[in-house]
Amino acid sequence: MALVEVPSSANSTIFGSVWVRYHVAVAVAVAVAVAVAVAVAVAVAVGALRGSNPWRFGALFLDHCHRLGLLRVSGTAYQFRHRQLQEWLLLGAGDRPPGAE
């Protein structure tokens, strides 16, 4: 039974390829995370400049609404408790939901 000898250049190519793929995957993941963070920051800034969202819309605002009983936390998601509030938010601040006086 003869052993097959693998040239040392083949080992370096295999490990080099894995190393490159790993670093490319990490770079893509970082780029996606940065793109999402920039998109969120732009959305918050645009909403704040239009006057429809507070500047500190993140955790402070959501935690405040949760303490007031307006939001329910389910895992990592927030949900407005009241159907009428949900409808009002969908319609816009100036409109009234159906059935409101």
Side-chain angles (χ1 to χ4, degrees):
M1 181 164 149
L3 296 175
V4 177
E5 213 175 291
V6 178
S8 61
S9 63
N11 283 338
S12 65
T13 304
I14 292 170
F15 290 115
S17 175
V18 171
W19 184 86
V20 169
R21 287 181 186 169
Y22 170 77
H23 284 82
V24 167
V26 169
V28 168
V30 168
V32 168
V34 167
V36 168
V38 168
V40 168
V42 168
V44 168
V46 168
L49 290 173
R50 288 183 178 172
S52 59
N53 293 338
W55 276 104
R56 302 175 89 184
F57 186 72
L60 294 176
F61 175 72
L62 296 175
D63 286 341
H64 178 70
C65 289
H66 180 256
R67 275 185 269 117
L68 291 175
L70 297 173
L71 292 175
R72 172 177 53 196
V73 179
S74 175
T76 59
Y78 288 90
Q79 181 184 21
F80 287 101
R81 289 182 175 266
H82 307 285
R83 174 68 61 197
Q84 191 173 12
L85 177 60
Q86 292 174 357
E87 292 171 359
W88 180 76
L89 289 170
L90 286 174
L91 292 173
D95 300 327
R96 291 182 164 198
E101 296 182 40

